[in-house]
Amino acid sequence: MIEALLAKQDYVSTVCANACALSEELVSGAATAIITEESLAGADRSALDAWVTQQPPWSDFPFILLATRRAGHRPRDAMLVLERLGNVIVLERPIHSETLGSAVRSAMRVRRRQYEARERLAALQLAEERLTHLNANLETRIAERTSELSRANNMLMEEVAERERAQTALVQSQKMEAVGQLTGGIAHDFNNLLTVVSGNLEMIERRCDDDKILRHARFAAEATDRAAKLTRQLLAFSRTQQLALAPLSLNALVEGMGDLLARTIGPRIDQRRVLSDRQPWVMADVHQLELAVLNLAINARDAMPDGGILTIETDAGRYAPEGVKPGHYGVVRVRDNGFGIPQPLLSKVFDPFYTTKPLGKGTGLGLSQVFGIARQSGGIAHIESIEREGTIVSIWLPLAATPDLDTELVKPISTSDRVRRKLNILIVDDDEGVRRFVAEGLESYGYHIVQAASGAEATTLLDAAIPDVMIVDFAMPGMTGIELAQAARKRAPDMPIIMVTGYAEEGVSADAGVITQILRKPFKIDALVGVLDMATGMMISAEG
């Protein structure tokens, strides 16, 4: 009957035969339970009592007890049953259906609130667990975050410092580039002056019979040779000389740099040389290799501010070092006993703009230039260093066959033993002194000379008559020597063109297509005549 009444009010209910069946259903889940008083009398309620006792803290399951109407007080057993059930609504029979429905709604409302309390407790418990976890890891997270911020700040400071170093290096590099251009221009003008001086000294030696005057002329010629060597070094510094590989004696190179190194490193450095008995010859550009050794000597000097020992060694290595083609190599080493370089930095010292010197004390181009010169020559540069003990930089270069020292590329030629066909030669140079020296020197050999002070004047002369040979300077205002040679080629495709220059820029090369031969300033007239012989291929016969 109760099931039917509940069904009319849209409640789903399950009928249990006894207390054990009720406890099983309660385990499965229920909103409330309606129990008749007589069903519990004398029944086994142990399972039911155990379920009620084991409810979680949030649960207080509502029971509806349908009791029998009594005239007096309830028996003690009945009261114990009510106490054990806990949350009980007692309804005495007979009971109206509306009263029963109201009691069921009230019980279900109570149960629903218990479920809501359970959810809130679960949420609170989860929040408490999260809070406990956060509190437990708070110090760790703070430490990690602090470490991350510290690393980010260190990286930022390093980037700022690196940017400042790069900007300083760029400014220094631009300054050195400007100095290099100025140096190249000065060397060019100086070569013109030396050409005039050395040429006139040569003419004095040819035409004078006074031994005293000849001796003084030779002294002056030796000074001009040293000055010419200085200009070559200036051109090497300004990096306007092209790499010209040729057999070179390492021993001769080191010995020839003695005076230059002594002036550069100063008196506080003890300069020593250890030269190989095997006399190693290598393939290298003499001026560029001098520049490399000079750079290394300057670095060694800076590493020994209080003085020390600078040793330059030569050797003929039997095996190729790592990083180059197999073969035999010669070595020039520059050794010092200065501060040394920390091991972690050794892999960076050949990088452009990297320097261990304070800001403003170096561009970071010296060692990178040394490495580049070695690489362009087919070799390699290697560095070893121990802090507070010193540094060794080795330049490995391919060995070359020892040349025949009795053979000269251009043998001196004199008017007494050579007869030449009369050639018409056009000399083009904006420097009047150089022009006059070349003209007088070649006229003494019997050549017919025409002079021009500019490319425009030379073009006018070419339109009037094509000479047998044209000798042209490279650096001239208005029209350069290359441009003049190109214009001359259109008028006379087969005419030999000899370029004389004291400023070897890029583009000045014998294989440029328009230049037959190149002669570097300063030069002797005999060398120019020899170049003319090679350029014209003329026959030379001995007199008589």
Side-chain angles (χ1 to χ4, degrees):
M1 182 182 70
I2 294 176
E3 183 182 10
L5 289 173
L6 294 175
K8 289 179 181 181
Q9 298 181 31
D10 296 330
Y11 292 116
V12 178
S13 58
T14 301
V15 178
C16 299
N18 49 47
C20 290
L22 174 60
S23 63
E24 293 176 359
E25 290 296 333
L26 290 175
V27 172
S28 300
T32 186
I34 302 173
I35 307 172
T36 60
E37 187 174 14
E38 58 269 21
S39 66
L40 297 177
D44 182 5
R45 299 190 303 273
S46 59
L48 180 60
D49 292 342
W51 183 87
V52 172
T53 304
Q54 296 172 1
Q55 289 183 90
W58 58 267
S59 177
D60 190 10
F61 188 81
F63 292 95
I64 300 174
L65 181 66
L66 301 181
T68 304
R69 184 181 294 275
R70 298 176 184 274
H73 295 289
R74 289 184 183 279
R76 180 175 177 80
D77 291 342
M79 293 303 294
L80 289 174
V81 170
L82 293 177
E83 290 178 3
R84 289 180 179 176
L85 291 178
N87 187 8
V88 181
I89 300 174
V90 180
L91 300 177
E92 291 186 350
R93 292 177 293 183
I95 185 172
H96 195 274
S97 60
E98 292 181 359
T99 302
L100 179 62
S102 177
V104 170
R105 283 194 298 275
S106 177
M108 294 187 69
R109 186 165 51 253
V110 170
R111 191 59 174 170
R112 189 178 299 111
R113 289 178 179 174
Q114 291 176 7
Y115 285 144
E116 292 173 357
R118 179 188 64 180
E119 293 175 357
R120 291 193 184 97
L121 287 172
L124 288 173
Q125 185 177 4
L126 180 60
E128 183 179 2
E129 290 176 355
R130 289 178 178 175
L131 182 59
T132 302
H133 179 73
L134 289 175
N135 288 336
N137 294 279
L138 182 59
E139 292 185 1
T140 302
R141 294 184 63 189
I142 290 175
E144 291 176 353
R145 184 61 176 165
T146 302
S147 178
E148 291 176 1
L149 291 174
S150 178
R151 286 196 297 270
N153 182 66
N154 291 339
M155 290 178 62
L156 178 61
M157 297 304 295
E158 288 177 1
E159 290 177 359
V160 170
E162 185 63 29
R163 182 175 180 179
E164 291 178 353
R165 284 194 294 269
Q167 289 176 340
T168 303
L170 178 60
V171 171
Q172 186 74 0
S173 174
Q174 291 172 340
K175 182 177 72 174
M176 294 302 293
E177 184 67 24
V179 171
Q181 293 176 358
L182 176 63
T183 302
I186 292 174
H188 165 250
D189 293 340
F190 199 39
N191 271 333
N192 281 339
L193 296 174
L194 288 176
T195 301
V196 176
V197 173
S198 64
N200 283 281
L201 288 172
E202 183 184 2
M203 300 301 294
I204 291 174
E205 291 181 19
R206 286 178 177 276
R207 297 177 180 179
C208 181
D209 295 330
D210 190 316
D211 292 339
K212 186 176 181 180
I213 294 177
L214 287 175
R215 185 169 67 255
H216 290 309
R218 282 193 292 271
F219 291 157
E222 291 175 359
T224 58
D225 289 341
R226 291 197 299 272
K229 183 177 181 180
L230 176 61
T231 59
R232 288 196 299 269
Q233 291 166 345
L234 290 175
L235 286 171
F237 169 76
S238 64
R239 298 188 297 280
T240 56
Q241 293 226 100
Q242 295 179 338
L243 205 64
L245 301 181
L248 168 68
S249 169
L250 289 180
N251 287 5
L253 176 87
V254 174
E255 288 180 335
M257 293 185 67
D259 292 340
L260 174 64
L261 291 176
R263 291 191 301 269
T264 302
I265 64 178
R268 303 184 68 180
I269 305 297
D270 181 9
Q271 181 190 160
R272 302 178 182 179
R273 293 191 291 272
V274 180
L275 305 181
S276 172
D277 295 335
R278 299 174 62 184
Q279 299 288 333
W281 284 72
V282 298
M283 293 299 296
D285 184 307
V286 58
H287 307 306
Q288 295 294 339
L289 189 54
E290 282 182 349
L291 176 63
V293 174
L294 182 61
N295 273 331
L296 296 179
I298 292 173
N299 283 347
R301 178 201 65 190
D302 293 343
M304 300 180 291
D306 298 326
I309 300 174
L310 170 66
T311 305
I312 301 179
E313 307 171 358
T314 62
D315 193 8
R318 298 183 178 180
Y319 304 104
E322 184 178 356
V324 295
K325 296 180 180 179
H328 298 288
Y329 288 77
V331 188
V332 55
R333 294 187 183 92
V334 178
R335 183 193 306 266
D336 67 69
N337 60 345
F339 293 143
I341 301 173
Q343 290 297 319
L345 303 182
L346 286 180
S347 61
K348 303 178 182 179
V349 294
F350 288 125
D351 295 342
F353 302 114
Y354 184 84
T355 177
T356 57
K357 299 178 182 179
L359 292 178
K361 295 297 183 180
T363 62
L365 295 174
L367 284 178
S368 66
Q369 191 173 17
V370 170
F371 188 82
I373 291 171
R375 282 308 241 177
Q376 292 178 48
S377 304
I380 197 169
H382 182 262
I383 187 167
E384 305 172 58
S385 186
I386 300 176
E387 287 189 82
R388 295 181 296 277
E389 292 188 16
T391 301
I392 304 173
V393 182
S394 305
I395 302 176
W396 295 70
L397 299 169
L399 283 177
T402 303
D404 185 358
L405 301 180
D406 294 332
T407 302
E408 296 182 10
L409 180 63
V410 179
K411 293 184 177 181
I413 305 170
S414 64
T415 55
S416 61
D417 61 358
R418 301 291 174 92
V419 176
R420 288 173 174 75
R421 177 173 59 88
K422 299 291 184 180
L423 293 178
N424 295 317
I425 299 177
L426 173 60
I427 301 173
V428 188
D429 199 308
D430 62 310
D431 189 295
E432 182 180 357
V434 174
R435 228 175 34 247
R436 184 171 58 247
F437 152 65
V438 174
E440 291 181 2
L442 292 181
E443 285 174 346
S444 68
Y445 279 90
Y447 295 105
H448 180 264
I449 304 300
V450 178
Q451 301 181 41
S454 66
E457 184 181 346
T459 303
T460 302
L461 293 174
L462 288 172
D463 290 335
I466 300 298
D468 295 312
V469 182
M470 183 172 72
I471 300 174
V472 59
D473 185 25
F474 171 73
M476 297 186 298
M479 178 183 288
T480 68
I482 291 291
E483 293 170 341
L484 176 59
Q486 292 170 341
R489 277 278 174 257
K490 295 178 181 178
R491 294 169 171 78
D494 298 327
M495 179 181 63
I497 300 177
I498 298 172
M499 177 166 285
V500 291
T501 178
Y503 191 34
E505 290 183 334
E506 293 182 2
V508 186
S509 177
D511 59 2
V514 296
I515 305 301
T516 307
Q517 294 287 338
I518 291 178
L519 185 62
R520 308 290 180 188
K521 296 178 180 178
F523 55 84
K524 294 184 179 299
I525 202 67
D526 283 349
L528 178 57
V529 172
V531 170
L532 279 171
D533 288 347
M534 291 187 290
T536 59
M538 75 180 206
M539 299 302 295
I540 302 175
S541 59
E543 286 186 343

